[in-house]
Amino acid sequence: MNNVGQHLISGALSGFASTICLQPFDLLKTRLQQREGAAVPRNTTTILQTTRQIVSSTGVLGLWRGTSASLVRGVPGIALYLTSLNHVRTLLAASPYFASARPRDAPPSAHTSALPTLTSRGNLLAGATTRVAVGLLLNPASVLKARYESNMYAYTSLASAFRAIARGGRAELFRGFSASALRDAPYSGLFVVCYELIKREAAHSMPPSSHGASAALHSGAAVAAGTIATLATHPFDVIKTKIQVRSEDRYQGFVRTVQTVWRQRGVSGFFDGASLRLSRKVLSSAIGWAVYESVLVIVRTHALDV
């Protein structure tokens, strides 16, 4: 299952499904994180108020504002990430230092996974390096996505939005990358490690015997892994959004942004939108990895039956 085309298609379908279903979570998270000041209402009340404001001014479909920008970022991003992750893991699996030995008396189920197996350090390295590399390549699309979801910019189209950002030069196109890298490297590394450990243990206890059971296994493992990785890396997501959306001098650069958030809000300021991001990441992981691995497993088992 090293066919690049199959992984790209599976990853693209994964990105499309999760982006369309979960765009409101991204939109609300961006709106909460763009705010500043010490007296910012929090938690469920704030989320409901923000939701009502959006629906009253633009209708229910207003919750899907920025979907086109999210698709520009999400579909190729997830496709490239999952395909590159598989390629890196395949390369690392050739090394005895990173390869995970499978007991001879426990052959893999046809419905368990279609991906290479590595040690925890191999999964950590593969996840972190792949996510940062893809993040660097697609950072301009990330800036576009964040600003399109914000209500601080009056963009009328994706083309005009990108031209406005591009006029700012390289610094504007790669704005917030350091915060993104500090968020994405540990997130992806932790996610892949936890996902593979949980999936392996669950498959050992209850081996999946059908495509449906396989999808449930992958979703459950992804939900648990996504929860752990999201909570550990959320402060960097807040910093990234502030840098990419706000233009004031106090948000120019990683260190100045950290100082500004700390001065205004303290520790709590680094967890704005945490419940929304957690919900989005958990659901995205469940949908995305279930679609991705299920498509690969179906293709593999079909090839074996032919």
Side-chain angles (χ1 to χ4, degrees), residues 229-244:
T230 298
L231 292 176
T233 59
H234 188 74
F236 296 109
D237 188 68
V238 175
I239 297 166
K240 175 198 74 71
T241 301
K242 297 281 192 187
I243 294 174
Q244 290 181 340

PDB file of all heavy atoms in Angstrom, residues 229-244:
ATOM      1  N   ALA A 229      -3.384  15.157  22.498  1.00  0.00           N
ATOM      2  CA  ALA A 229      -2.507  16.064  21.754  1.00  0.00           C
ATOM      3  C   ALA A 229      -3.056  17.488  21.710  1.00  0.00           C
ATOM      4  O   ALA A 229      -2.293  18.457  21.787  1.00  0.00           O
ATOM      5  CB  ALA A 229      -2.303  15.536  20.335  1.00  0.00           C
ATOM      6  N   THR A 230      -4.368  17.652  21.616  1.00  0.00           N
ATOM      7  CA  THR A 230      -4.966  18.987  21.537  1.00  0.00           C
ATOM      8  C   THR A 230      -4.773  19.766  22.818  1.00  0.00           C
ATOM      9  O   THR A 230      -4.371  20.939  22.803  1.00  0.00           O
ATOM     10  CB  THR A 230      -6.470  18.874  21.219  1.00  0.00           C
ATOM     11  OG1 THR A 230      -6.639  18.249  19.945  1.00  0.00           O
ATOM     12  CG2 THR A 230      -7.123  20.250  21.176  1.00  0.00           C
ATOM     13  N   LEU A 231      -5.055  19.154  23.954  1.00  0.00           N
ATOM     14  CA  LEU A 231      -4.922  19.846  25.242  1.00  0.00           C
ATOM     15  C   LEU A 231      -3.468  20.239  25.513  1.00  0.00           C
ATOM     16  O   LEU A 231      -3.209  21.282  26.117  1.00  0.00           O
ATOM     17  CB  LEU A 231      -5.449  18.956  26.364  1.00  0.00           C
ATOM     18  CG  LEU A 231      -6.965  18.720  26.354  1.00  0.00           C
ATOM     19  CD1 LEU A 231      -7.348  17.738  27.477  1.00  0.00           C
ATOM     20  CD2 LEU A 231      -7.722  20.035  26.532  1.00  0.00           C
ATOM     21  N   ALA A 232      -2.533  19.427  25.051  1.00  0.00           N
ATOM     22  CA  ALA A 232      -1.122  19.707  25.307  1.00  0.00           C
ATOM     23  C   ALA A 232      -0.582  20.863  24.469  1.00  0.00           C
ATOM     24  O   ALA A 232       0.399  21.505  24.857  1.00  0.00           O
ATOM     25  CB  ALA A 232      -0.283  18.451  25.050  1.00  0.00           C
ATOM     26  N   THR A 233      -1.229  21.182  23.347  1.00  0.00           N
ATOM     27  CA  THR A 233      -0.658  22.158  22.412  1.00  0.00           C
ATOM     28  C   THR A 233      -1.537  23.381  22.163  1.00  0.00           C
ATOM     29  O   THR A 233      -1.187  24.229  21.345  1.00  0.00           O
ATOM     30  CB  THR A 233      -0.386  21.482  21.039  1.00  0.00           C
ATOM     31  OG1 THR A 233      -1.622  20.963  20.513  1.00  0.00           O
ATOM     32  CG2 THR A 233       0.596  20.319  21.189  1.00  0.00           C
ATOM     33  N   HIS A 234      -2.650  23.514  22.879  1.00  0.00           N
ATOM     34  CA  HIS A 234      -3.590  24.598  22.578  1.00  0.00           C
ATOM     35  C   HIS A 234      -3.007  26.011  22.723  1.00  0.00           C
ATOM     36  O   HIS A 234      -3.343  26.891  21.916  1.00  0.00           O
ATOM     37  CB  HIS A 234      -4.849  24.478  23.428  1.00  0.00           C
ATOM     38  CG  HIS A 234      -5.902  25.452  23.029  1.00  0.00           C
ATOM     39  ND1 HIS A 234      -6.661  25.311  21.881  1.00  0.00           N
ATOM     40  CD2 HIS A 234      -6.303  26.627  23.595  1.00  0.00           C
ATOM     41  CE1 HIS A 234      -7.485  26.332  21.770  1.00  0.00           C
ATOM     42  NE2 HIS A 234      -7.292  27.146  22.788  1.00  0.00           N
ATOM     43  N   PRO A 235      -2.177  26.305  23.733  1.00  0.00           N
ATOM     44  CA  PRO A 235      -1.654  27.672  23.842  1.00  0.00           C
ATOM     45  C   PRO A 235      -0.993  28.178  22.562  1.00  0.00           C
ATOM     46  O   PRO A 235      -1.119  29.363  22.217  1.00  0.00           O
ATOM     47  CB  PRO A 235      -0.639  27.562  24.985  1.00  0.00           C
ATOM     48  CG  PRO A 235      -1.192  26.482  25.847  1.00  0.00           C
ATOM     49  CD  PRO A 235      -1.758  25.468  24.879  1.00  0.00           C
ATOM     50  N   PHE A 236      -0.307  27.320  21.836  1.00  0.00           N
ATOM     51  CA  PHE A 236       0.341  27.737  20.594  1.00  0.00           C
ATOM     52  C   PHE A 236      -0.685  28.045  19.506  1.00  0.00           C
ATOM     53  O   PHE A 236      -0.430  28.862  18.626  1.00  0.00           O
ATOM     54  CB  PHE A 236       1.313  26.653  20.117  1.00  0.00           C
ATOM     55  CG  PHE A 236       2.461  26.423  21.066  1.00  0.00           C
ATOM     56  CD1 PHE A 236       2.536  25.256  21.807  1.00  0.00           C
ATOM     57  CD2 PHE A 236       3.445  27.381  21.233  1.00  0.00           C
ATOM     58  CE1 PHE A 236       3.581  25.041  22.698  1.00  0.00           C
ATOM     59  CE2 PHE A 236       4.498  27.176  22.112  1.00  0.00           C
ATOM     60  CZ  PHE A 236       4.564  26.007  22.853  1.00  0.00           C
ATOM     61  N   ASP A 237      -1.847  27.412  19.563  1.00  0.00           N
ATOM     62  CA  ASP A 237      -2.910  27.715  18.604  1.00  0.00           C
ATOM     63  C   ASP A 237      -3.453  29.117  18.836  1.00  0.00           C
ATOM     64  O   ASP A 237      -3.741  29.850  17.887  1.00  0.00           O
ATOM     65  CB  ASP A 237      -4.034  26.681  18.730  1.00  0.00           C
ATOM     66  CG  ASP A 237      -5.074  26.824  17.633  1.00  0.00           C
ATOM     67  OD1 ASP A 237      -4.731  26.551  16.467  1.00  0.00           O
ATOM     68  OD2 ASP A 237      -6.219  27.212  17.937  1.00  0.00           O
ATOM     69  N   VAL A 238      -3.615  29.496  20.099  1.00  0.00           N
ATOM     70  CA  VAL A 238      -4.066  30.852  20.434  1.00  0.00           C
ATOM     71  C   VAL A 238      -3.061  31.884  19.926  1.00  0.00           C
ATOM     72  O   VAL A 238      -3.438  32.888  19.301  1.00  0.00           O
ATOM     73  CB  VAL A 238      -4.252  31.005  21.957  1.00  0.00           C
ATOM     74  CG1 VAL A 238      -4.594  32.457  22.321  1.00  0.00           C
ATOM     75  CG2 VAL A 238      -5.349  30.078  22.461  1.00  0.00           C
ATOM     76  N   ILE A 239      -1.791  31.650  20.167  1.00  0.00           N
ATOM     77  CA  ILE A 239      -0.741  32.579  19.746  1.00  0.00           C
ATOM     78  C   ILE A 239      -0.732  32.706  18.224  1.00  0.00           C
ATOM     79  O   ILE A 239      -0.636  33.809  17.673  1.00  0.00           O
ATOM     80  CB  ILE A 239       0.630  32.101  20.256  1.00  0.00           C
ATOM     81  CG1 ILE A 239       0.642  32.110  21.786  1.00  0.00           C
ATOM     82  CG2 ILE A 239       1.755  32.984  19.710  1.00  0.00           C
ATOM     83  CD1 ILE A 239       1.813  31.357  22.391  1.00  0.00           C
ATOM     84  N   LYS A 240      -0.850  31.578  17.521  1.00  0.00           N
ATOM     85  CA  LYS A 240      -0.865  31.586  16.053  1.00  0.00           C
ATOM     86  C   LYS A 240      -2.007  32.453  15.516  1.00  0.00           C
ATOM     87  O   LYS A 240      -1.810  33.269  14.615  1.00  0.00           O
ATOM     88  CB  LYS A 240      -1.003  30.156  15.520  1.00  0.00           C
ATOM     89  CG  LYS A 240      -1.140  30.068  14.006  1.00  0.00           C
ATOM     90  CD  LYS A 240      -1.699  28.744  13.566  1.00  0.00           C
ATOM     91  CE  LYS A 240      -3.163  28.613  13.853  1.00  0.00           C
ATOM     92  NZ  LYS A 240      -4.033  29.472  12.999  1.00  0.00           N
ATOM     93  N   THR A 241      -3.196  32.271  16.063  1.00  0.00           N
ATOM     94  CA  THR A 241      -4.354  33.026  15.588  1.00  0.00           C
ATOM     95  C   THR A 241      -4.166  34.523  15.839  1.00  0.00           C
ATOM     96  O   THR A 241      -4.469  35.349  14.968  1.00  0.00           O
ATOM     97  CB  THR A 241      -5.640  32.546  16.285  1.00  0.00           C
ATOM     98  OG1 THR A 241      -5.819  31.151  16.010  1.00  0.00           O
ATOM     99  CG2 THR A 241      -6.861  33.314  15.783  1.00  0.00           C
ATOM    100  N   LYS A 242      -3.673  34.889  17.011  1.00  0.00           N
ATOM    101  CA  LYS A 242      -3.442  36.302  17.322  1.00  0.00           C
ATOM    102  C   LYS A 242      -2.477  36.928  16.308  1.00  0.00           C
ATOM    103  O   LYS A 242      -2.726  38.018  15.782  1.00  0.00           O
ATOM    104  CB  LYS A 242      -2.849  36.443  18.727  1.00  0.00           C
ATOM    105  CG  LYS A 242      -3.732  35.963  19.861  1.00  0.00           C
ATOM    106  CD  LYS A 242      -4.794  36.963  20.225  1.00  0.00           C
ATOM    107  CE  LYS A 242      -5.457  36.577  21.549  1.00  0.00           C
ATOM    108  NZ  LYS A 242      -6.619  37.437  21.867  1.00  0.00           N
ATOM    109  N   ILE A 243      -1.390  36.234  16.036  1.00  0.00           N
ATOM    110  CA  ILE A 243      -0.375  36.770  15.127  1.00  0.00           C
ATOM    111  C   ILE A 243      -0.930  36.909  13.711  1.00  0.00           C
ATOM    112  O   ILE A 243      -0.679  37.907  13.026  1.00  0.00           O
ATOM    113  CB  ILE A 243       0.877  35.864  15.128  1.00  0.00           C
ATOM    114  CG1 ILE A 243       1.566  35.902  16.499  1.00  0.00           C
ATOM    115  CG2 ILE A 243       1.853  36.293  14.036  1.00  0.00           C
ATOM    116  CD1 ILE A 243       2.722  34.928  16.628  1.00  0.00           C
ATOM    117  N   GLN A 244      -1.702  35.907  13.265  1.00  0.00           N
ATOM    118  CA  GLN A 244      -2.182  35.908  11.883  1.00  0.00           C
ATOM    119  C   GLN A 244      -3.343  36.865  11.645  1.00  0.00           C
ATOM    120  O   GLN A 244      -3.526  37.351  10.525  1.00  0.00           O
ATOM    121  CB  GLN A 244      -2.586  34.487  11.482  1.00  0.00           C
ATOM    122  CG  GLN A 244      -1.415  33.536  11.341  1.00  0.00           C
ATOM    123  CD  GLN A 244      -1.836  32.148  10.910  1.00  0.00           C
ATOM    124  OE1 GLN A 244      -2.998  31.770  11.054  1.00  0.00           O
ATOM    125  NE2 GLN A 244      -0.894  31.380  10.393  1.00  0.00           N
TER     126      GLN A 244
END
